[in-house]
Structures are given as structure tokens and as C-alpha cells.
Amino acid sequence: MSGTVQTGVLVVGFGAAGACAALEAAEAGADVLVLDRFEGGGATTLSGGIVYAGGGTAQQRDAGVTDSVDAMHAYLRLEVGDVVSERALRSFCEGSVEMIRWLERHGVPFEGSLCPEKTSYPGNRHYLYYSGSESSGGFRDAAEPAPRGHRAKGRGTSGKALFTPLAAQVRRRATVLPQTRVRRLIQSVDGTVTGVIATTLRDAPAWARALHRRLGQWSAKPGIYVPALRKKLHRRVVALEERFAREIEISAHSVILTAGGFIANREWIREHAPAYRRGLQLGTVGDDGSGIELGRSAGGATAGMGRVSAWRFLTPPSAFLGGLLVNERGQRVIDESRYGAAVGEELIERHGGKGWLLLDEELVRRARAQGDVQWFQRLQTLYLLKRGRVLGGTIAEVARRAGVDPDGLAETVVAADAVPDPMGKPAAFVHRFGSPPYSLVDVSIRPSLAFPCPMLTLGGLVVDEGSGRVLDGDGRPIPGLYAAGRTAVGICSRSYVSGLSLADCVFSGRRAGNHSGRTLRELDKNENVF
């Protein structure tokens, strides 16, 4: 052994869920130790930094937006289904305003600048937007739509703007041990989790720790876009760990697993969700299911392991919403204004991952003119309009050139003139096709650096909704073991919209941290009494 460490609450994984768990446990009075295989941040720093929140946040009020807990709940009830109970979803919605305030108190910046257009992600002038399908057919009738995507204020993708202040707060209130990998849980005879066995580079040469740190950063980004590079870098990471890492035992009253999902575990993806093997892994190499496997080794049950969110965004440019998304038979696929994960799921599950977006001359002109987009969005639009499309002077001609059934496409164009739209697309996005040339833009899901389809896993360990404790196959809590974020089943485990995963990381991380910290405090009180 390299040593033995004792702590009150041990958090395994240092992304958004881990940071929030650590802060709540520390605020409850617990001694907290946080472990991470790398330096922290995980998939959170790679994300857009969107937190789904509503019910009347300060940012919504600043933007002149009216929203209510009931409206937020009614919309999410349709998206979430029965993956969590009515009580849990209501608690999430009722605590939404306070959640944003809590994040702000810990330094996360938000702003109520409302994006005027429907988009997958706003440009650098806007930090509040419609991040889901709130205004799409079927949803707007059930609940008053409102923009609830709260983007942490920062240029580009804002994941770092969200995580950096949280991490700074954690380091002030808890101990963080990076470059440490948990190998197994320690359980007592009665099944109580009492700690972990880990391997750490804390005593490795400085050059080895620095190289490990740099390789971890590179494998996260740009490695996320170049799988072959990521794999090569990770082999060097593993070699360093095998050579220099030393075993350490950590005793704890509670262990909280917040080690992310398993999108980087190709074997698990082939087993649980084989149709989702061709997307961009939205996460780091640490999203390998290790946290879930630790929970299972202690008897924890899992659910939703086949649920994967795959994003095929059609916007920006917002002009693309006027197009018609069709399959090989020329048939309409979905309301084009739906959130990208709904589009991706529809294409993958029912159309073999293939799809084309029909545009006319006006829509292409408007698409080229749109500004206020992120640089990568502009490059994707240029790619789609140059290399990703075919042109034709008639509907039949463009269909033949794309390999789409001409008769089916012609019927779809005629049907789209009906009022209301057959797929329920809002009138604001409906476009009557006019002048040629016509375009069919290939938006099929395939490995592509120019037009990737980001994917993340949504299933994980089953937890008690009041505490975050991991449950076994009989629904009984495993003493001393908690899970949060994408290591656990949560609010977004059935259907994902932008910001819902990070919001659930905050919600479930705080829940687990608070319960474990309060439990330890009560135990200390009882021991002092006797």
C-alpha cells in the first residue's frame, strides 16, 4: 500500500455532478475528498454549458419571459415519461429557480439575453434560448412554451464557464486528489460500502504527472473529434498509470459515484445500443462505465442502458427549419422544429440513420445570410451546402440525383402544403416551396468530422429518488453508496433536451451530497450523545 486515507464523504468523479455533490456535502459539515482519474471537468467542460431551468428564473424575467413551474412540469412530463416519479419531477421543477441561484452563488455566470431565433446553440450575444421542443407540435398544446436553456456566460461552448467556478469552490472546501483511479469498492460483511481501493499518481515523478495531465487534456480535446488520436493518446495514459500509479486505500462513511456515462465503452455500446455505434463520443475516455460497474459490483441495479441521445441538429441556420426532412422513400420523417435528439432518434431507430433535407432557392439564400452563429456551426453550414447536397431543376430530378424515390418526394411536397402542417410543425416555421433549383442536403448519421452526430448515454445505476442512494435488484438501498449524474438514472434518462443532463447533474449531485453529509452529521451527533 502507498497509504491509507480516511474521509467522511468520498466523491468519485469530478465533473458537474461530482462538484455539486462535494459542495453540498461540505456545506452539510462533512469532510470531503474528491477523486478524478484526470484533472476534473470530464464531459462537463466539453459541453455547451447549458442548464435547463424555468419556472420564473431571474434570467427569464430579465428577458421579459413569463414561465411557471406548472408549465415547465407539463412540458417535461411529456419528455421524461415515467423514468422518474411524479414526485421527483415536481421536485426538480419546483427547485429550478433556486438551482440557478445556487449556481450563481458559487460563481457560475448567467445572463437573460434571449436568442431571437430557433437554434441548436446560440451565438455569443445570447445566453437564454428555446433549447428543447417546447414550441413544436404536440408540446406547445400541452404546455405554454418558454425558453429554458440557461447558458453559462462565456464565449464559444460554455462548459468551462460552468465548471471552472464550481471547481474553484470545491477546492476551497474539500480535498481534490487528481490522477487517481478507483479500482474497486470496499464492503463490510453486511454489504455496507466503507471505502475504495484506488491507484494514484500522487507520488509519481513530476514529469510523469505532467505528461499524464497533458495526454488527458489532448485525448479530451481534440481527441473527441479524432477517435484514432484519442485511442493512441489513451494507450500512453494507461502505460503511465501501469508504471507509476501506486495503490491506496481510502476509508469513507459514504461513497458517491459521479464518474459519467459509458459512451467511450464501445463494448457496452455494442451490447446495449448497437444502432448508436457511429456517432461522436460526447465525453472523455473516463466515460467508460467504470462508475456504473463499481455500483454493479456492490449489487447495484441498472436501468435504461439502451438509452442513448444522438443529436442530429438541423439548425443553425434557422432557415433550415422550413425544409422537409425525408427518408429514402421520400417520406417525411418528423416535425423539423423538434429538438436534435428527437430527430437523431427518429433517423436511427426507424430510418437506418439516413435522411435528406429538401430546400428551395429561397431557403438556401436565407441560410447563407444568417449571422450570429458559432464558428463550428458556420463551417457545418458551408459543408452541407457545398459537399453535402445535390441540386435539381425539378423535385423529380433532385430526388433521382440523391437516390431518393421521386414519386414519394413529390407526394410529400404536395402534402406539406396542407394547413395545419401534417407533422405539427408550427406555422412560424412552415415554408411553401417556390423557385428552383431544389436541394437535397444529406443529413444522414455517419462518422464525419465535418458534420458529426454527438452521442451520450442516458442510463445507469438505479437510485432512491429522495436521497440518491444506489438501490439493489430488490429496490433496497446499498448502505454507504450513492450515485449521481450520468452514472445514475435521472431526469433525462428517457429523453434529452439541451441542458437537461447538466441540470440533472446539479440536481442529483446536490441531492446525494446533501443526504450523505447530513447522514454523517447526524451520526456524529448520536456518537457524541453516547
Side-chain angles (χ1 to χ4, degrees), residues 43-50 121 152 156-165 502:
T44 299
T45 57
L46 299 176
S47 76
I50 305 297
Y121 192 78
T157 51
S158 302
K160 287 185 179 179
L162 175 72
F163 180 73
T164 299
L502 283 177

Side-chain angles (χ1 to χ4, degrees), residues 36-354:
D36 194 88
R37 186 178 180 183
F38 297 100
E39 296 294 315
T44 299
T45 57
L46 299 176
S47 76
I50 305 297
V51 178
Y52 195 91
T57 66
Q59 292 72 28
Q60 288 179 315
R61 295 197 305 272
D62 289 346
V65 170
T66 300
D67 193 16
S68 68
V69 170
D70 286 342
M72 179 182 180
H73 175 271
Y75 168 67
L76 286 181
R77 182 79 276 166
L78 296 176
E79 294 280 16
V80 171
D82 60 357
V83 74
V84 296
S85 69
E86 179 68 19
R87 181 178 179 182
L89 182 60
R90 175 62 66 172
S91 176
F92 174 77
C93 295
E94 290 178 346
S96 186
V97 171
E98 190 275 334
M99 175 181 66
I100 294 295
R101 290 174 182 161
W102 185 87
L103 288 169
E104 288 182 306
R105 288 199 300 271
H106 289 90
V108 180
F110 294 102
E111 182 182 286
S113 47
L114 180 61
C115 184
E117 298 175 320
K118 176 74 173 176
T119 183
S120 61
Y121 192 78
N124 290 323
R125 297 203 298 268
H126 303 106
Y127 292 90
L128 178 68
Y129 73 117
Y130 286 89
S131 64
S133 297
E134 296 89 350
S135 59
S136 299
F139 292 96
R140 67 183 185 277
D141 298 329
E144 187 67 26
R148 302 188 182 104
H150 289 64
R151 174 186 168 200
K153 190 173 182 180
R155 294 186 63 81
T157 51
S158 302
K160 287 185 179 179
L162 175 72
F163 180 73
T164 299
L166 289 177
Q169 290 289 325
V170 171
R171 291 188 173 97
R172 293 189 187 100
R173 305 181 186 199
T175 301
V176 178
L177 184 59
Q179 299 178 310
T180 300
R181 186 179 183 184
V182 174
R183 299 293 184 170
R184 64 181 178 89
L185 299 176
I186 301 172
Q187 286 181 279
S188 61
V189 176
D190 66 356
T192 300
V193 174
T194 60
V196 304
I197 299 295
T199 53
T200 181
L201 292 175
R202 68 175 185 179
D203 299 322
W207 69 265
R209 297 197 305 273
L211 181 57
H212 184 275
R213 182 181 308 112
R214 186 58 57 86
L215 291 172
Q217 292 170 345
W218 288 344
S219 69
K221 205 170 187 179
I224 185 175
Y225 302 113
V226 189
L229 174 63
R230 169 175 279 192
K231 188 178 295 185
K232 183 177 181 179
L233 293 172
H234 187 54
R235 283 198 295 265
R236 297 189 65 186
V237 165
V238 172
L240 283 171
E241 292 172 343
E242 290 178 345
R243 181 179 177 187
F244 293 108
R246 297 294 178 263
E247 194 171 86
I248 183 173
E249 179 179 334
I250 304 174
S251 299
H253 178 266
S254 300
V255 175
I256 306 177
L257 303 173
T258 62
F262 62 92
I263 194 62
N265 189 324
R266 305 317 291 166
E267 181 179 340
W268 282 22
I269 292 296
R270 283 193 296 270
E271 176 185 354
H272 298 289
Y276 293 83
R277 291 178 294 174
R278 308 182 71 190
L280 182 148
Q281 300 174 12
L282 189 58
T284 71
V285 293
D287 288 285
D288 58 359
S290 55
I292 298 171
E293 186 56 38
L294 286 170
R296 292 205 302 196
S297 72
T302 58
M305 297 291 280
R307 295 298 301 169
V308 175
S309 182
W311 308 348
R312 176 47 81 227
F313 290 118
L314 302 181
T315 61
S318 59
F320 278 1
L321 294 179
L324 301 177
L325 181 61
V326 300
N327 59 21
E328 286 182 295
R329 297 182 298 279
Q331 298 168 338
R332 191 100 170 266
V333 169
I334 196 172
D335 168 4
E336 292 78 12
S337 71
R338 288 289 305 279
Y339 178 67
V343 176
E345 180 178 7
E346 181 69 24
L347 288 175
I348 291 172
E349 295 288 349
R350 283 168 282 280
H351 303 279
K354 295 181 179 180

